[in-house]
Amino acid sequence: MRLPNSRKAREAGFAYIVLLPAIAYFLVYFFYPIVVELWASFFRGQPLIGQSEFAGFDNYRQALMDSRVRAAFGRTVVFATLGTVFTLVPALCLAAILSGPIKAATTIRAIIFFPYIISFVIVALMWKSLLDPYTGILNALLSYLDLPTQNWLSTPSTALPTIVAITVWKDIGYAMLIYIAAIQGIPKDLYEAAEVDGASPAQRFRRITIPLLMPTTLFLAVISTIGHLQDLSAPYLLTGGGPAEATRLYALHVYEAAFLELNIGYASALSFLMFVAILVITFLQFRFLNREVVY
């Protein structure tokens, strides 16, 4: 066996040796479970924990023909779209304002970012208390203003929008900070040149800031969409999927199939269908939002 004798070959070999622990870690803890879940999706019953029999593509066929699965998927896409749009647009506006010479800007940023570091269990308990139809502060305020009170989490028409609003409230601080960091990286010369040419602040924001932030917007859109598509904590902790399955998102459906009905093979097939859907949605986001930026 001939040993590599060139400097480039030795450096490449050393790099692979250094990377070997990380590669082994990803193979064992990321790719191996994915392969096992894919294998389990072709079995009926409990292939990982009990008795099972080979089912081929029956689990996938059953999932695609299940009206509850299609309804949960459509509801989840709506939840992800609204959650992403209503997080990124206000976050961009807040970042544009708070990256300027504003008094107490650091304090305001910290206040807006604070919900992001709170556990969703605490968030759920706090908002369920605030939105309680009988003792909640929000309904008390509406009653004080002679406005009709609402059963925010108990009415099908308001439950999903309320969950979207709570997730936006929690995530908007993270997106705002990312946007602020990106805005601070834009060369000041571009704004000064545009100001000399007579561009108004709104024109500078529309013609300079937004186009140059497209890579940041793409990153946040992809991360936010994937997070919302996989979200289990919000429907599980706030409504349990109700009322009348109005907030039964896809992840909650998979969770109940796997851990309540113990139908592991079917739940694995549902998970892989969502995996494919996320790949397609992410590809579309890169196709339509990916812009090359040159300063």
Side-chain angles (χ1 to χ4, degrees):
M1 178 179 178
R2 296 183 58 185
L3 296 176
N5 51 10
S6 70
R7 180 179 178 183
K8 189 174 181 179
R10 289 197 299 272
E11 289 178 349
F14 179 73
Y16 282 119
I17 293 174
V18 172
L19 289 173
L20 192 59
I23 294 173
Y25 176 83
F26 276 96
L27 287 175
V28 172
Y29 290 102
F30 287 86
F31 294 106
Y32 175 71
I34 292 175
V35 173
V36 170
E37 285 297 319
L38 178 61
W39 169 81
S41 70
F42 294 107
F43 286 82
R44 188 179 294 108
Q46 304 170 4
L48 298 175
I49 59 176
Q51 295 182 347
S52 63
E53 60 178 1
F54 185 72
F57 287 95
D58 285 355
N59 287 329
Y60 291 94
R61 193 177 300 111
Q62 179 185 351
L64 293 174
M65 297 180 66
D66 190 340
S67 60
R68 294 183 74 197
V69 171
R70 294 198 299 270
F73 179 75
R75 210 175 288 124
T76 304
V77 171
V78 172
F79 171 71
T81 303
L82 294 178
T84 300
V85 171
F86 286 112
T87 298
L88 298 194
V89 173
L92 175 59
C93 296
L94 286 171
I97 295 171
L98 295 176
S99 59
I102 303 294
K103 286 185 178 179
T106 303
T107 303
I108 297 173
R109 294 176 191 174
I111 293 172
I112 297 174
F113 181 73
F114 183 70
Y116 184 73
I117 62 176
I118 303 176
S119 165
F120 204 93
V121 176
I122 299 174
V123 170
L125 290 173
M126 182 187 72
W127 278 103
K128 288 179 78 170
S129 174
L130 293 174
L131 298 173
D132 188 278
Y134 304 105
T135 61
I137 294 176
L138 193 55
N139 270 353
L141 179 61
L142 292 176
S143 181
Y144 177 77
L145 297 174
D146 289 331
L147 295 173
T149 57
Q150 302 289 331
N151 293 326
W152 301 99
L153 295 171
S154 305
T155 304
S157 61
T158 59
L160 188 61
T162 302
I163 290 181
V164 171
I166 293 173
T167 56
V168 168
W169 171 82
K170 188 176 189 308
D171 296 338
I172 196 171
Y174 171 76
M176 180 199 67
L177 283 189
I178 298 296
Y179 270 132
I180 288 176
I183 290 174
Q184 291 175 342
I186 297 175
K188 303 298 181 187
D189 298 349
L190 298 177
Y191 293 105
E192 294 172 358
E195 190 173 0
V196 170
D197 291 339
S200 66
Q203 289 173 323
R204 295 197 295 270
F205 178 72
R206 190 173 67 253
R207 300 294 179 84
I208 298 176
T209 304
I210 292 179
L212 293 182
L213 289 180
M214 284 308 292
T216 306
T217 300
L218 173 61
F219 166 75
L220 290 172
V222 170
I223 296 299
S224 177
T225 303
I226 293 175
H228 282 92
L229 289 173
Q230 298 176 335
D231 196 353
L232 170 66
S233 56
Y236 181 76
L237 294 172
L238 288 169
T239 61
E245 298 195 350
T247 61
R248 185 181 177 85
L249 301 184
Y250 195 88
L252 181 62
H253 190 80
V254 176
Y255 168 80
E256 292 185 354
F259 298 103
L260 299 184
E261 301 168 8
L262 294 180
N263 196 347
I264 304 299
Y266 183 58
S268 300
L270 289 173
S271 300
F272 268 89
L273 288 175
M274 176 52 80
F275 174 68
V276 173
I278 289 175
L279 286 180
V280 172
I281 292 172
T282 303
F283 171 79
L284 293 176
Q285 288 178 315
F286 271 89
R287 178 70 178 80
F288 293 106
L289 295 178
N290 193 17
R291 298 287 186 276
E292 185 177 356
V293 174
V294 179
Y295 292 167

